[in-house]
Amino acid sequence: MDPSLDTWDFSSPLISLWINRFYIYLGFAFGISLWICFQIVIRKQLFIFKDKNSKDKSVPKATRDLMTNGYISLQKKDILVSGVKIFYGSQTGTAKGFAASLAEAVTSLGLPVAVINLQEYDPDDHLVEEVTSKNVCAFVVATYTDGRPTESAEWFCKWLEEASSDFRFGKTYLKGMRYAVFGLGNSAYANHFNKVGKNVDKWLWMLGAHRVVARGEGDCDVVKSKHGSIEADFRVWKTKFISRLQALRKGERKPCGGNCKKGQCESSAEEEPFESTSEEESGTEDQQNLNSVVDVEDLGKIMNCVKKEKREKEHQEEKSTLVRNAVKGEASERRAMITPALREALTKQGYQLIGSHSGVKLCRWTKSMLRGRGGCYKHTFYGIESHRCMETTPSLACANKCVFCWRHHTNPVGTEWRWKMDQPEMILKEAIENHQSMIKQFKGVPGVREDRFEEGMMVKHCALSLVGEPIMYPEINRFLKLLHECKISSFLVTNAQFPVEIRNLKPVTQLYVSVDASTKDSLKKIDRPLFKDFWQRFLNSLKALAAKQQRTVYRLTLVKAWNVDELQAYAELVTLGNPDFIEVKGVTYCGESSASSLTMANVPWHEEVVHFVRELVALIPNYEIACEHEHSNCLLIAHTREKPQAERIQAELEFNPRCFKIQSLL
């Protein structure tokens, strides 16, 4: 072997490297590949971590806090709704009843609930606590006279109004508070319908509170009520509120409308503009505020939205007009005046309801005369036999809400006839049948005279003064004609708000007009009329009465400290209407009622009524005091042309030993 080969021994490092160069290249390639893979994994992990952080921002805090190391920790679960507080401001008790109903529904969810009278709540001390309490506050508030809050909610509303415009409170004072509002009102008072509910909603919103459900509006007017009655309006809103409450407990948020910019969705917002009503749907949240700054490229979208909204509004108006015309054309499609709730309330008061808008009731004087005792003032003044008198009305609705209403405003109100209409033949037939049925209940009752009982079964007089405004009934003239054909006399009472109807009214036995006050301010305060032009209507009604060729009567109801000091003004009204008779009666106290602030202090003594009458007669020529019924706290003033008839009636009644003592003041 060549010795030179020894210098190229395989033990030489260079030769070994050269011979094994393939493996070296392979190792380098493997290392580089491993390094590249490691870098890819690291970058991927960083990307996932960043993406997770960004997603966590859109996850509710309550949900993030629930997750700990891959499992849910029940100990750290957030309470999203700790309870519900229900505040109510009520005058007649309806709002209070709704609050109790809502509390019952909330209790069924297992949530703590508190029902609070706003009269007993101090917002200055406690309202700010609701910001951090995690309660949901529901406000059930009624609108009272002239759009004012009820007496119980007056201070709360005053405080809220002042706070919303006070810079010291600011627009974030109640930020974090969650609330909902349901208002009660009557759309017959168009200018003030649900004004209190709207204001409470607005003021809370201005202070930074968040609405959880759109404002509900209950309407006492069964014709215009969206769901047929105020009770149905409340049930619909209550269902929405309970549903929203369940969603809040689960941490659910309102779904995104899909029109927001990516990454800027405000899906968690519970608040809507304070002007929203119960009719507004979630789609309105996607509309942009035209007063805000917008990009030029977005202007086209906004204008399209405006045009679309305008077209929809015009379509809605056209649709509403068609609906109204259809309702006017077809009475069968109109709603009944007597709703189930109203039927229940009136039945408890002893009414026998007829059809969809009429009623009859047995007078206590009818019961008295059946026993051979005295009759009412109509018996004393005009010789009407009380046990043969049927008290009824073809219309339970009225255009006033008088403070001394002895039915406590259970009847509906309205300015025109918008309900279903029953035929007068059916009303009269069922009125007589129901009246006779109530008379029959006294057969065999101790003290009831048999001859009076037999006479009581034969109706000879109808007092159309039970409740409501009978002259509103479109077929009142046909009804009166049927009465007279049956040899039944008629006394009809109207509240002097329908002058045209008075002019068109066929002659009745005696036509009454209620003159509850002699000045515009006092009439508004006492009668609380629905019409804006109530005073002109009142004056026109008196003028229409003067033109009637029949026996007419003014009925004055004296309310102490309200309308007893307006003698000269009353005298001028007497000259305007020139009635045959004037009945002056002290107001009757019908017990405590949240619908009225009257007390026994407002009831004048009989001596005070007599004094008022004497002073009034001194101011009106050709009128004299004709008769008195002390038990009813009532006196009769007659025009001198009626004096002979009054003396004849008085003479006849003095021979009846069972009548109340009658003192002739002629």
Side-chain angles (χ1 to χ4, degrees):
M1 181 175 289
D2 191 346
S4 62
L5 291 175
D6 294 337
T7 60
W8 294 92
D9 190 11
F10 285 106
S11 61
S12 173
L14 293 176
I15 294 174
S16 298
L17 289 173
W18 175 255
I19 294 173
N20 298 293
R21 61 185 182 278
F22 174 79
Y23 299 103
I24 293 173
Y25 297 156
L26 187 62
F28 273 113
F30 178 76
I32 291 171
S33 299
L34 189 63
W35 181 81
I36 291 173
C37 291
F38 180 78
Q39 291 297 322
I40 291 174
V41 171
I42 292 297
R43 289 179 180 275
K44 188 174 181 180
Q45 289 294 329
L46 288 173
F47 178 81
I48 292 174
F49 182 76
K50 289 180 180 179
D51 185 61
K52 182 180 179 181
N53 284 344
S54 64
K55 287 183 178 180
D56 283 347
K57 293 179 182 179
S58 64
V59 177
K61 182 178 182 301
T63 306
R64 295 201 307 270
D65 292 344
L66 288 176
M67 296 188 297
T68 307
N69 296 328
Y71 67 93
I72 295 179
S73 174
L74 296 177
Q75 289 77 10
K76 294 184 180 180
K77 181 178 180 180
D78 276 357
I79 299 175
L80 301 177
V81 179
S82 61
V84 177
K85 287 186 178 180
I86 304 172
F87 302 87
Y88 69 88
S90 184
Q91 191 73 25
T92 62
T94 307
K96 182 179 180 180
F98 285 172
S101 174
L102 184 61
E104 186 177 348
V106 172
T107 303
S108 66
L109 299 179
L111 282 172
V113 61
V115 180
I116 303 169
N117 186 347
L118 286 173
Q119 190 172 21
E120 303 168 355
Y121 185 77
D122 189 347
D124 203 17
D125 292 337
H126 302 295
L127 193 59
V128 71
E129 296 173 2
E130 306 306 331
V131 171
T132 56
S133 66
K134 295 186 179 180
N135 287 320
V136 175
C137 299
F139 295 86
V140 184
V141 288
T143 299
Y144 199 41
T145 307
D146 292 333
R148 293 185 292 105
T150 60
E151 294 176 9
S152 60
E154 194 168 2
W155 164 245
F156 177 83
C157 291
K158 180 178 176 62
W159 182 92
L160 206 59
E161 180 181 14
E162 292 177 351
S164 64
S165 58
D166 192 335
F167 71 92
R168 292 170 296 181
F169 286 89
K171 296 181 179 180
T172 59
Y173 181 70
L174 295 179
K175 187 175 182 180
M177 174 183 171
R178 295 173 293 182
Y179 76 95
V181 176
F182 182 83
L184 294 82
N186 193 316
S187 57
Y189 296 90
N191 291 343
H192 306 301
F193 176 56
N194 257 311
K195 186 175 181 179
V196 175
K198 293 174 183 176
N199 283 340
V200 169
D201 188 23
K202 176 179 71 174
W203 295 330
L204 289 170
W205 183 86
M206 290 173 67
L207 288 170
H210 291 260
R211 183 191 300 108
V212 298
V213 69
R215 183 181 68 249
E217 293 183 351
D219 192 350
C220 290
D221 191 329
V222 296
V223 174
K224 293 185 178 180
S225 169
K226 294 182 179 69
H227 305 96
S229 68
I230 192 170
E231 292 81 10
D233 293 337
F234 175 72
R235 285 195 297 270
V236 171
W237 180 84
K238 181 175 70 173
T239 301
K240 292 180 181 178
F241 177 78
I242 295 300
S243 176
R244 184 71 186 125
L245 198 60
Q246 290 174 317
L248 289 173
R249 291 184 70 189
K250 297 175 182 178
E252 295 178 5
R253 303 177 181 188
K254 290 186 177 180
C256 175
N259 297 327
C260 58
K261 294 182 180 180
K262 187 174 181 180
Q264 298 180 0
C265 179
E266 298 281 345
S267 62
S268 62
E270 297 171 354
E271 182 179 10
E272 303 168 4
F274 68 80
E275 295 86 357
S276 66
T277 65
S278 57
E279 270 202 347
E280 292 172 341
E281 302 296 335
S282 59
T284 58
E285 296 169 9
D286 300 328
Q287 297 178 2
Q288 298 186 35
N289 186 351
L290 297 180
N291 295 325
S292 61
V293 178
V294 296
D295 295 331
V296 175
E297 58 266 25
D298 294 331
L299 192 59
K301 293 181 180 179
I302 294 176
M303 293 307 297
N304 288 335
C305 289
V306 171
K307 291 178 180 178
K308 182 180 178 182
E309 185 179 356
K310 185 178 180 180
R311 286 195 301 269
E312 290 178 353
K313 186 177 181 180
E314 291 175 351
H315 178 70
Q316 282 296 114
E317 290 177 353
E318 183 180 355
K319 186 178 179 181
S320 300
T321 303
L322 291 174
V323 170
R324 284 195 297 268
N325 292 337
V327 169
K328 290 181 180 178
E330 299 182 22
S332 59
E333 295 182 4
R334 296 180 181 181
R335 294 175 178 172
M337 181 187 295
I338 304 176
T339 62
L342 180 59
R343 183 176 296 277
E344 182 181 358
L346 292 176
T347 302
K348 286 181 180 178
Q349 295 180 31
Y351 285 81
Q352 294 293 323
L353 300 178
I354 303 165
S356 63
H357 54 74
S358 308
V360 63
K361 194 174 188 289
L362 205 62
C363 175
R364 71 182 184 93
W365 291 109
T366 301
K367 303 173 187 177
S368 173
M369 214 161 186
L370 284 172
R371 292 183 168 91
R373 301 171 184 171
C376 72
Y377 70 90
K378 287 194 276 300
H379 174 59
T380 303
F381 294 171
Y382 315 111
I384 299 298
E385 296 176 298
S386 300
H387 66 298
R388 307 186 77 176
C389 174
M390 176 177 69
E391 192 175 26
T392 187
T393 180
S395 171
L396 293 165
C398 187
N400 291 345
K401 299 187 74 173
C402 304
V403 294
F404 53 76
C405 178
W406 61 319
R407 304 303 181 190
H408 298 318
H409 308 294
T410 48
N411 55 305
V413 292
T415 57
E416 60 181 353
W417 191 272
R418 302 185 304 273
W419 301 277
K420 288 181 179 179
M421 189 182 71
D422 301 327
Q423 294 304 308
E425 292 82 3
M426 183 273 288
I427 296 174
L428 180 58
K429 178 178 178 293
E430 292 197 16
I432 294 175
E433 290 177 353
N434 279 288
H435 177 79
Q436 292 174 338
S437 176
M438 289 185 286
I439 294 290
K440 285 179 182 178
Q441 296 175 10
F442 286 85
K443 185 176 181 62
V445 173
V448 174
R449 289 175 46 175
E450 187 174 346
D451 60 330
R452 293 284 178 89
F453 177 81
E454 295 298 330
E455 291 174 350
M457 293 296 292
M458 298 295 295
V459 178
K460 285 297 180 182
H461 177 71
C462 180
L464 294 166
S465 61
L466 176 61
V467 70
E469 180 63 84
I471 207 169
M472 286 181 67
Y473 177 48
E475 294 292 342
I476 185 63
N477 283 324
R478 280 180 58 198
F479 184 78
L480 291 170
K481 183 180 179 182
L482 291 171
L483 278 174
H484 298 158
E485 287 176 353
C486 295
K487 308 299 182 183
I488 299 174
S489 60
S490 56
F491 278 21
L492 186 145
V493 182
T494 176
N495 287 320
Q497 289 295 299
F498 296 92
V500 175
E501 286 74 6
I502 291 177
R503 294 190 192 98
N504 297 333
L505 187 70
K506 298 294 182 182
V508 296
T509 307
Q510 191 156 292
L511 179 59
Y512 283 78
V513 169
S514 296
V515 182
D516 300 326
S518 58
T519 65
K520 183 177 181 179
D521 291 338
S522 58
L523 186 68
K524 182 178 181 180
K525 182 180 179 183
I526 292 174
D527 279 5
R528 297 187 293 187
L530 271 64
F531 286 106
K532 295 179 185 177
D533 57 341
F534 66 93
W535 181 245
Q536 191 58 50
R537 283 176 168 271
F538 177 75
L539 297 178
N540 290 342
S541 295
L542 300 185
K543 294 175 183 177
L545 196 74
K548 303 296 287 186
Q549 299 298 315
Q550 61 172 93
R551 202 163 72 185
T552 57
V553 184
Y554 273 14
R555 172 180 286 178
L556 275 64
T557 302
L558 300 185
V559 185
K560 197 172 181 178
W562 286 49
N563 64 355
V564 295
D565 300 322
E566 305 168 351
L567 283 162
Q568 186 58 47
Y570 275 120
E572 294 173 2
L573 292 181
V574 171
T575 304
L576 188 65
N578 192 29
D580 297 313
F581 296 104
I582 304 171
E583 293 178 5
V584 184
K585 185 179 185 300
V587 67
T588 301
Y589 180 63
C590 302
E592 183 178 351
S593 168
S594 54
S596 173
S597 59
L598 293 185
T599 66
M600 279 299 296
N602 298 114
V603 180
W605 295 97
H606 186 63
E607 291 77 7
E608 293 174 313
V609 177
V610 172
H611 178 72
F612 177 92
V613 169
R614 285 175 174 162
E615 288 190 331
L616 179 61
V617 168
L619 296 174
I620 49 177
N622 301 321
Y623 284 91
E624 295 180 355
I625 300 174
C627 201
E628 174 188 26
H629 193 271
E630 187 173 353
H631 189 98
S632 297
N633 199 10
C634 185
L635 279 83
L636 178 69
I637 302 172
H639 197 282
T640 52
R641 60 177 175 262
E642 298 290 337
K643 185 175 181 179
Q645 182 180 1
E647 289 177 333
R648 178 183 60 78
I649 295 172
Q650 185 69 26
E652 291 176 356
L653 291 173
E654 284 177 349
F655 290 101
N656 188 347
R658 292 189 176 274
C659 284
F660 287 107
K661 181 181 178 182
I662 302 167
Q663 178 185 359
S664 178
L665 301 177
L666 288 171

